[in-house]
Amino acid sequence: MDAPLTLLDSDASFCFGCSPEIVCFNECCRDLNQFLTPYDVIRLKKRLCLSSHEFLARYTRRHTGPGSGIPVVTLIPADPERLTCPFVAPGGCRVYSDRPSACRMYPLVRILRRSHDTADIAEEYRLLREPHCRGFHAVRLQTAREWILNQGLPDYIAENDRMLEVIGLKARLSSKALPPSIADQVYTALYDLDRFLEGRRFASRTGVHAGRVESARQDEVALLRQGLEWAKQLLMKTFGR
């Protein structure tokens, strides 16, 4: 049975807390199907002192988004039976300060809706109450807005919304699958940023002035934004827009 989702106003309070003292501690790190955003990959690979290619090869699997056709990645479980996160330890998350956005958001679910009339985007939150979770018995009281700030989510949300722009563009352009060569290029531009930057034609390919290439090497978030914009251009070119 699916866990219930309760609509939550951003200023409405809810009780939730998680710590080693709670009996279900670490249970949310099992039975996992964890998607990673491009910004998640940046934070994790930097934390683990790996190149993007090394991190992706060691810790992720590549898939095709079922609705968008855009390449996406998921974490490879450490335990194939219990589907345990590779970064969880008995004492908690080993990469806690750089944990993925979905982990930070839990138990909230953030939903974006676009108005058909005005094209404006509205944000709403829902509270996910899973049967195993005892965090809701905690005395800690906060609003959704406070939770977002306390969990360090603003940067994640800002960068993840840029990825949603790519997904939305693809949906508007075409429902067709990406040709394999195009899918590979989009995957590199979104996730494998070290290889994206290493390409000899990086400056001409992205429209970035050659003098800014070195700056991109020092600022991976700026590089990601370049990759996202380049992916948009590639999608429009591929589908004739």
Side-chain angles (χ1 to χ4, degrees):
M1 181 181 295
D2 293 335
L5 285 169
T6 306
L7 184 63
L8 185 71
D9 184 89
S10 59
D11 291 313
S13 298
F14 66 98
C15 287
F16 186 80
C18 186
S19 71
E21 287 70 39
I22 296 179
V23 295
C24 62
F25 185 64
N26 282 348
E27 282 303 309
C28 59
C29 304
R30 299 183 176 90
D31 194 19
L32 204 65
N33 183 23
Q34 181 70 65
F35 284 83
L36 298 179
T37 68
Y39 186 67
D40 290 335
V41 172
I42 285 179
R43 294 286 296 259
L44 288 169
K45 71 103 171 177
K46 187 174 182 179
R47 172 62 179 264
L48 298 169
C49 300
L50 297 172
S51 71
S52 57
H53 188 71
E54 290 171 329
F55 174 82
L56 292 166
R58 186 178 304 182
Y59 289 109
T60 73
R61 292 192 182 102
R62 174 178 163 178
H63 310 269
T64 299
S68 67
I70 295 291
V72 295
V73 299
T74 58
L75 273 178
I76 298 174
D79 180 344
E81 293 186 1
R82 299 197 68 190
L83 302 181
T84 305
C85 175
F87 305 125
V88 70
C93 178
R94 295 188 292 110
V95 294
Y96 187 78
S97 62
D98 295 289
R99 65 198 184 282
S101 47
C103 303
R104 291 171 182 269
M105 188 69 70
Y106 185 86
L108 296 184
V109 176
R110 179 174 178 262
I111 300 172
L112 299 180
R113 300 189 185 279
R114 183 185 295 272
S115 169
H116 293 292
D117 298 326
T118 66
D120 292 338
I121 295 177
E123 177 185 69
E124 69 179 39
Y125 291 93
R126 295 182 182 269
L127 197 61
L128 176 63
R129 291 183 176 270
E130 295 185 289
H132 74 264
C133 183
R134 298 295 178 265
F136 294 100
H137 300 295
V139 296
R140 181 181 178 185
L141 189 69
Q142 65 265 299
T143 66
R145 199 181 305 276
E146 290 169 338
W147 183 260
I148 295 300
L149 291 174
N150 292 338
Q151 298 302 309
L153 274 160
D155 287 345
Y156 283 82
I157 288 174
E159 301 309 323
N160 292 348
D161 282 356
R162 295 176 189 274
M163 175 64 172
L164 291 178
E165 291 176 8
V166 176
I167 294 173
L169 175 64
K170 168 60 172 62
R172 294 192 298 274
L173 290 172
S174 176
S175 60
K176 295 180 181 179
L178 291 175
S181 63
I182 301 299
D184 288 345
Q185 292 178 69
V186 171
Y187 171 80
T188 301
L190 300 183
Y191 300 101
D192 201 350
L193 290 175
D194 293 326
R195 288 199 166 184
F196 182 62
L197 182 58
E198 286 171 3
R200 291 183 178 180
R201 296 192 301 121
F202 173 78
S204 60
R205 185 174 67 232
T206 60
V208 177
H209 189 276
R212 294 176 58 194
V213 172
E214 190 58 35
S215 296
R217 295 183 192 278
Q218 305 302 320
D219 186 346
E220 291 181 299
V221 175
L223 177 60
L224 171 59
R225 292 176 183 177
Q226 291 289 343
L228 290 165
E229 289 303 316
W230 182 82
K232 289 181 186 179
Q233 296 170 20
L234 180 60
L235 290 173
M236 289 189 286
K237 180 179 179 181
T238 299
F239 294 106
R241 298 294 180 90

